[in-house]
Amino acid sequence: MNLLFMGGAQAQATTLNNLWELQSKTSSINAGRASITSTTAYNEEMVENDVFKYYSNGEWKVSNSGKCVPVINPTTRKTQYKVQACNQEEVDNVIESARIAQKSWAKTPLWKRAELLHKVAAILKQHTKPIADCLVKEIAKPAKDALTEVVRSGDLVSYCAEEGIRVLGRGNYLVSDSFPGNERTKYCLTSKIPLGVVLAIPPFNYPVNLAVSKIAPALIAGNSLVLKPPTQGAVAALHMMHCFHLAGFPKGLISCVTGKGSEIGDFLTMHPGINCISFTGGDTGIAISKKAGMVPLQMELGGKDACIILEDSDLDLAASNIVKGGFSYSGQRCTAVKVVLVIESIADTLVKKVNEKIEKLTVGPPEDNCDITPVVTECSANFIESLVMDAKQKGAKFCQEYRREGNLIWPLLLDCVRSDMRIAWEEPFGPVLPVIRIDSVEEAIRHCNASNFGLQGCIFTKDINKAILISDAMEMGTVQINSAPARGPDHFPFQGLKDSGIGSQGITNSINMMTKVKSTVINLPAPSYTMG
Ligand code: G3H
């Protein structure tokens, strides 16, 4: 059934039914632990001479630059794919077509925008496998997690469509006599209006999910969107873009340019045609925020998420969360547990429990669903190694032998880390986790707050009153009580303090961030009071 040709209420009901159906299929996908080994089946129009085209004005195009950028498979360290190296003229064209398309899109009824998003969510889920295949090859995401990322993305888009209906379907009505000195002569009507062209720059670790977390709110709010995916993850993003193409979004409304940051990065972020930037990544975000003009920014720039373990905590629960939080996707998550702060009296027991769990982690290729897979680039692996060597030189206790083959680094717990070691402060973005033994909660809070990051933190204790006090004292965008840090569920607010970011994400906050308020004031010739 074509959602586009149904009325609002009927469409909504059918959409929900479809969602239930898809949910059950999804569960079997997740339960199936599918092993992805096949080569992705490409849509021919997306590729020419082995190079993936970029997506502009509703068409797949070859760049005039005549150049391409290789996407290196982190496992084989060989070129897996090639994408177009777009040039500045092509960026100009994409932004111009986005500017034109947005004008009509903003006049498209909200329910129709929502229907198209529901449609793309369903298509995205139908294309779970080929997109997940790319994630495995481009970023060495374990096969099961790659599948989950795509399914989660479909759910995010659907939820965003429905939340958009609620959030944007409502405005405000204010009367003037509530402010001193005024009679009831003015009625103010406010509504949320789009910003224009939104630039979305997701990171390598969630090239699909953190792309749609920007795309869906932008589109439901009546904006157009230009996507610049990371090079590692660009092909998964192009496949995701193909789902938007299949859904039938207007030409130019959504585009995807690939290429080198050195050639088009600044050009994109400083372009006068861009009206909003949503970026997830590292330090580059700080540079972008300094160069971007008068445009709203949404930034998530990593963290050094601390896990505080108190004496009264459930140590088995804490150990499971430390291992899951610290080593999922080989620690390459901004919300990974990046430092454990444990009270000395329970440290030996905790470390023993954590080590027992680390021993059970499987290490190897993402195709085999291993827990620990190669980190994204050789450069990342070298950086992680530099932190490990610094800690070694300064006397950290290695709970496992340090082992590396190519980009593959075996999971490593570093005990007795001190604050003069780099790993106490820097984020390795890899499977290496420092443990700092502390004497008091105050010391733990001091350590957390001395960091330049402030994304998330977590506390393990059975005393909820104590947990609340500690949470309030921690300078973090989110504090989890008795669980590892995490961004999801995707409708929860997600934000970082200090160098961890600007603004708040999560579906509702992103929709709001990608709009501005417009007021219309009705001025009456004389005061008028409603008498009922
Ligand atoms: O890497 C940054 C992501 O926002 C983390 O998301 O908590 O779902 O892994 P996650």
Side-chain angles (χ1 to χ4, degrees), residues 460-495:
F460 284 84
T461 174
K462 288 181 186 141
D463 184 339
I464 188 69
N465 296 331
K466 211 189 286 178
I468 297 288
L469 290 176
I470 298 168
S471 166
D472 285 347
M474 287 166 80
E475 294 167 5
M476 306 283 173
T478 303
V479 175
Q480 305 269 351
I481 297 169
N482 291 324
S483 186
R487 171 167 48 109
D490 290 328
H491 65 307
F492 279 13
F494 179 55
Q495 54 281 316

Side-chain angles (χ1 to χ4, degrees), residues 343-408:
I343 297 285
E344 176 68 59
S345 59
I346 51 163
D348 284 345
T349 315
L350 179 80
V351 166
K352 184 166 175 283
K353 285 179 187 289
V354 172
N355 280 330
E356 283 165 6
K357 291 183 188 301
I358 288 177
E359 259 172 47
K360 294 191 183 126
L361 295 176
T362 53
V363 182
E367 289 84 353
D368 292 352
N369 263 330
C370 289
D371 299 307
I372 304 294
T373 54
V375 296
V376 70
T377 59
E378 192 173 344
C379 180
S380 289
N382 292 343
F383 175 74
I384 297 162
E385 186 163 294
S386 74
L387 295 181
V388 171
M389 291 309 141
D390 175 77
K392 185 175 189 180
Q393 199 194 352
K394 291 174 182 160
K397 186 172 161 196
F398 280 50
C399 297
Q400 295 79 22
E401 188 191 343
Y402 173 66
R403 194 172 160 201
R404 171 182 171 185
E405 278 172 23
N407 293 1
L408 186 61

Side-chain angles (χ1 to χ4, degrees), residues 152 205-206 210 300 332-335 429 485-488 494:
R152 175 182 178 182
N205 60 350
Y206 285 99
L210 280 169
E300 197 269 279
Q332 296 173 108
R333 296 164 54 240
C334 53
T335 49
F429 236 69
R487 171 167 48 109
F494 179 55

Side-chain angles (χ1 to χ4, degrees), residues 37 41 67 173 194 292 298 316 356 468 475 481:
T37 48
K67 294 184 205 152
Y173 163 58
Q298 185 182 52
D316 289 310
E356 283 165 6
I468 297 288
E475 294 167 5
I481 297 169

Side-chain angles (χ1 to χ4, degrees), residues 416-486:
C416 303
V417 164
R418 293 188 321 266
S419 54
D420 62 332
M421 299 175 191
R422 286 175 56 201
I423 197 139
W425 306 105
E426 295 178 44
E427 51 170 352
F429 236 69
V432 178
L433 182 59
V435 176
I436 300 182
R437 293 168 176 239
I438 47 161
D439 293 322
S440 66
V441 173
E442 290 72 22
E443 190 184 337
I445 294 169
R446 265 199 307 279
H447 184 92
C448 290
N449 294 351
S451 171
N452 57 324
F453 290 115
L455 189 61
Q456 291 208 0
C458 60
I459 310 160
F460 284 84
T461 174
K462 288 181 186 141
D463 184 339
I464 188 69
N465 296 331
K466 211 189 286 178
I468 297 288
L469 290 176
I470 298 168
S471 166
D472 285 347
M474 287 166 80
E475 294 167 5
M476 306 283 173
T478 303
V479 175
Q480 305 269 351
I481 297 169
N482 291 324
S483 186

Side-chain angles (χ1 to χ4, degrees), residues 250-266:
K251 281 186 176 198
L253 186 72
I254 171 164
S255 303
C256 181
V257 285
T258 53
K260 293 197 166 162
S262 54
E263 168 73 15
I264 56 170
D266 278 356

